[in-house]
């Protein structure tokens, strides 16, 4: 009876592992572009933006999602980063300029799979 139980458990774990591999192969990780509005923001409010980015960055590290690129923008321009900045780099980013609603909408149309981070 013990041998039968071990065989059943072994086969169950094998099927479970194969199902996990199949899911990983056929259901790719969602790709995401992170849009960060770096228009002027008070430091305490910018901390919230940095914390939100850090959560997304950690999900990327755990391979829950894939951050394709990070776009920092304000009314004075935009910067596209294909190499992901570390959370500390975002935390230390200086904010400047005014909010650019039109630019935000354009970027959201350009990157439909995006997450917008901005001061609220």
């Amino acid at each position: 009876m013990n041998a039968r139980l071990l065989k059943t458990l072994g086969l169950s774990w094998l099927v479970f592992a194969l199902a996990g591999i199949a899911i990983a192969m056929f259901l790719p990780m969602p790709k995401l572009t992170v849009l960060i509005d770096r228009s002027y923001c008070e430091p305490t409010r910018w901390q919230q933006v940095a914390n939100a980015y850090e959560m997304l960055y950690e999900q990327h590290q755990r391979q829950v999602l894939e951050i394709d690129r990070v776009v920092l923008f304000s009314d004075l321009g935009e910067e596209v980063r294909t190499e992901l900045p570390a959370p500390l780099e975002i935390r230390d980013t200086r904010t400047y300029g005014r909010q650019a609603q039109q630019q935000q909408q354009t970027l959201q149309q350009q990157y439909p799979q995006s997450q917008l981070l901005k001061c609220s």
Side-chain angles (χ1 to χ4, degrees):
M1 184 148 162
N2 279 341
R4 191 175 193 185
L5 179 62
L6 290 175
K7 183 178 177 182
T8 303
L9 283 174
L11 285 173
S12 298
W13 278 106
L14 178 64
V15 168
F16 182 71
L18 290 174
I21 291 170
I23 289 171
M25 288 176 57
F26 295 112
L27 294 175
M29 254 186 298
K31 282 189 176 186
L32 181 69
T33 296
V34 180
L35 304 174
I36 301 177
D37 182 352
R38 70 180 293 179
S39 57
Y40 178 74
C41 182
E42 294 176 16
T44 54
R45 291 175 49 210
W46 182 252
Q47 182 73 31
Q48 295 170 350
V49 172
N51 289 343
Y53 175 76
E54 186 172 7
M55 287 175 44
L56 291 172
Y57 185 86
E58 288 173 1
Q59 289 178 0
H60 174 81
Q61 297 292 48
R62 290 192 323 258
Q63 297 182 344
V64 174
L65 60 84
E66 181 181 351
I67 298 176
D68 192 35
R69 69 181 57 88
V70 174
V71 180
L72 296 122
F73 70 95
S74 74
D75 67 329
L76 300 175
E78 70 183 60
E79 177 186 355
V80 178
R81 308 278 298 273
T82 53
E83 286 198 28
L84 298 186
L88 187 59
E89 190 176 340
I90 297 299
R91 190 174 312 283
D92 293 340
T93 298
R94 299 207 186 273
T95 59
Y96 58 84
R98 296 184 187 139
Q99 287 190 348
Q101 191 68 29
Q102 183 62 38
Q103 186 178 14
Q104 174 186 320
Q105 290 173 351
T106 301
L107 288 170
Q108 287 178 312
Q109 289 173 354
Q110 185 177 352
Y111 303 108
Q113 298 296 331
S114 65
Q115 172 86 32
L116 176 65
L117 304 178
K118 68 179 193 173
C119 282
S120 53

